[in-house]
Amino acid sequence: MKKGLFITFEGVDGSGKTSVLKGVNDLLLKNGISNFIITREPGGSKITEKIRSIILDRDNIEEDIKTEALLYAASRRQHLVDVIIKRLEEGVHVICDRYVDSSLAYQGYARGIGIEEVRKINEFAIGSLYPDLTIYLDLAPEEGLKRIMKNRENPDRLDVEKLSFHKKVYEGYEEVYKMFQGRIYKVDAKQDLLSVTKDAFNKVYEFIVQNEKR
Ligand code: TMP
């Protein structure tokens, strides 16, 4: 039985998830919360890191969009089995950098497969294991792309997509937000890193403390 809380972080490329997550990790520890792990998608375990390298390889330009969606779902399934379910059952909170909402926004909306279609294949992979809370770093795609070009030495296959694709991803997230408003908490990611980190941390901390009291 699931005992830990399942929390995910989402946002367009360049929204700062990785840096914010590092900060949230440190703040949780400083504030006495240590029964959590941070993991990421696609990846997070031996098999899934291999799938990640296929998906993100810049040479795989001929990758079909449905193949891409299925690979993400396959990687998600393996990561659930290898890492997430085990830890949740042990009572450890799991914080995951990207999960099913990424597939809905990127493959479902931006690639044009359809959010409902992608939701179906993902529900084959995850059953009903949706996150308890999702922190969505809300950042305009123009700004995200600017940050990627400035900060990354080796942008991956999706980073180098055109601005029009990044705009679609953003619209996709807006759709996903409307579908799951109760679960998704928006943080204004235009702010400086410290403020974004504090906003995200405050929500995660409050959510863990409230749920642990029950
Ligand atoms: P990352 O840069 O956050 O590690 O994510 C890698 C890329 O994979 C990013 O461009 C988003 C993309 N992605 C999808 O398109 N669908 C998914 O389901 C996931 C998890 C990531």
Side-chain angles (χ1 to χ4, degrees):
M1 207 186 71
K2 169 178 171 303
K3 294 190 208 122
L5 295 167
F6 183 25
I7 299 170
T8 57
F9 274 62
E10 294 282 351
V12 297
D13 292 271
S15 57
K17 281 181 295 86
T18 311
S19 314
V20 171
L21 269 164
K22 264 193 212 130
V24 168
N25 174 75
D26 296 348
L27 285 170
L28 283 172
L29 294 174
K30 254 192 211 156
N31 285 275
I33 295 186
S34 56
N35 59 333
F36 70 93
I37 58 153
I38 295 186
T39 182
R40 73 162 180 178
E41 271 206 11
S45 72
K46 200 173 105 207
I47 299 173
T48 56
E49 286 295 339
K50 285 188 183 162
I51 302 177
R52 178 186 175 95
S53 63
I54 298 172
I55 303 175
L56 298 180
D57 188 340
R58 281 177 68 171
D59 291 336
N60 291 345
I61 41 172
E62 73 278 19
E63 190 173 290
D64 169 68
I65 55 174
K66 287 191 179 175
T67 305
E68 183 187 77
L70 288 163
L71 284 172
Y72 278 118
S75 157
R76 180 157 301 128
R77 170 75 198 166
Q78 190 66 37
H79 185 226
L80 260 189
V81 172
D82 285 347
V83 181
I84 298 180
I85 293 175
K86 281 185 195 151
R87 305 318 295 267
L88 291 175
E89 284 179 352
E90 288 163 7
V92 174
H93 307 309
V94 174
I95 302 179
C96 190
D97 184 346
R98 295 197 184 280
Y99 189 62
V100 65
D101 298 330
S102 288
S103 282
L104 301 180
Y106 282 79
Q107 282 66 53
Y109 191 92
R111 295 280 194 220
I113 298 175
I115 288 183
E116 274 313 311
E117 286 293 291
V118 172
R119 184 172 167 164
K120 271 188 232 152
I121 61 158
N122 272 276
E123 286 186 354
F124 176 67
I126 69 167
S128 57
L129 221 167
Y130 277 89
D132 300 302
L133 168 71
T134 296
I135 303 290
Y136 169 50
L137 302 188
D138 184 7
L139 184 74
E142 294 82 358
E143 184 58 30
L145 203 55
K146 232 194 267 167
R147 291 187 189 173
I148 292 169
M149 292 313 167
K150 206 170 129 201
N151 300 333
R152 293 208 187 155
E153 277 171 21
N154 292 310
D156 64 38
R157 190 171 63 82
L158 281 108
D159 287 336
V160 297
E161 292 274 357
K162 293 191 192 67
L163 178 60
S164 57
F165 178 73
H166 290 267
K167 279 189 175 156
K168 285 213 148 184
V169 172
Y170 184 78
E171 286 168 22
Y173 270 121
E174 288 292 303
E175 290 299 312
V176 173
Y177 178 71
K178 277 186 226 150
M179 286 167 69
F180 300 108
Q181 277 189 32
R183 150 171 80 78
I184 302 179
Y185 180 79
K186 258 191 201 183
V187 169
D188 177 6
K190 254 194 338 287
Q191 308 174 86
D192 60 89
L193 178 61
L194 194 64
S195 309
V196 181
T197 305
K198 271 192 194 152
D199 285 359
F201 162 74
N202 286 339
K203 183 67 191 175
V204 170
Y205 180 78
E206 177 192 300
F207 189 75
I208 292 178
V209 169
Q210 270 174 5
N211 280 280
E212 283 187 344
K213 264 195 225 148
R214 286 193 191 140

